[in-house]
Amino acid sequence: MEIQQQKGVGNSKVVKVEKEEAWDLFVNQASNEGRSVVAHFGASWCVTSLSMNYKFEELAQTHPEILFLYVDVDDVQSVSSKLGVKAMPTFFLIKDKEVVNKIVGANPDEVKKMVDASAESFGVTAPPDIVVE
């Protein structure tokens, strides 16, 4: 079974997780496909979490080999508790159903490094940054 894009979110490459069963399904499917998962745990009321949405979407667009998930901590409390999320935003890198990296706080550069390193570990190189001077 292939991971299906959530309907009704336009061109978004980030999949919103609505319940614990969906989380388990996505993480299991990604593991079976040999894909990493990068999960953004945030909240609709958290300004710093919301500020990361654009960057997270941008990473998802440039790294189709990785599954990007968004989890609202208020909607899926069981998963947030299980992973020990205490602050928003929190980002996890998951490989083979195991958390291998965690970043707490709105730090787009660190999240990008984590994603790029994950892509490179699977032999996929990220496109070079375009610098306009």
Side-chain angles (χ1 to χ4, degrees):
M1 178 192 294
E2 202 171 298
I3 295 173
Q4 297 296 311
Q5 178 62 41
Q6 180 184 359
K7 295 177 179 25
V9 290
N11 293 329
S12 178
K13 299 294 182 198
V14 177
V15 179
K16 183 172 183 188
V17 176
E18 305 275 340
K19 54 188 175 178
E20 183 175 6
E21 295 79 12
W23 169 265
D24 292 339
L25 177 69
F26 288 134
V27 171
N28 286 328
Q29 283 182 347
S31 177
N32 291 341
E33 295 171 7
R35 296 172 73 187
S36 295
V37 174
V38 177
H40 171 190
F41 283 76
S44 59
W45 48 264
C46 178
V47 175
T48 54
S49 180
L50 295 173
S51 72
M52 289 295 294
N53 286 347
Y54 175 79
K55 185 63 174 180
F56 198 64
E57 178 64 44
E58 189 178 80
L59 289 168
Q61 296 280 346
T62 57
H63 292 284
E65 73 283 0
I66 297 172
L67 176 61
F68 287 80
L69 300 177
Y70 175 78
V71 180
D72 188 305
V73 297
D74 294 323
D75 295 342
V76 194
Q77 293 177 0
S78 58
V79 175
S80 304
S81 294
K82 194 184 310 182
L83 292 175
V85 175
K86 304 265 189 255
M88 280 71 67
T90 297
F91 299 87
F92 291 96
L93 172 62
I94 300 167
K95 292 182 183 180
D96 297 320
K97 301 188 252 185
E98 297 293 326
V99 173
V100 295
N101 200 348
K102 175 181 175 181
I103 297 171
V104 179
N107 189 333
D109 293 336
E110 287 302 311
V111 174
K112 182 180 186 317
K113 283 182 200 171
M114 178 177 74
V115 170
D116 288 347
S118 176
E120 289 169 9
S121 73
F122 281 98
V124 178
T125 55
D129 289 332
I130 298 172
V131 179
V132 179
E133 295 186 26

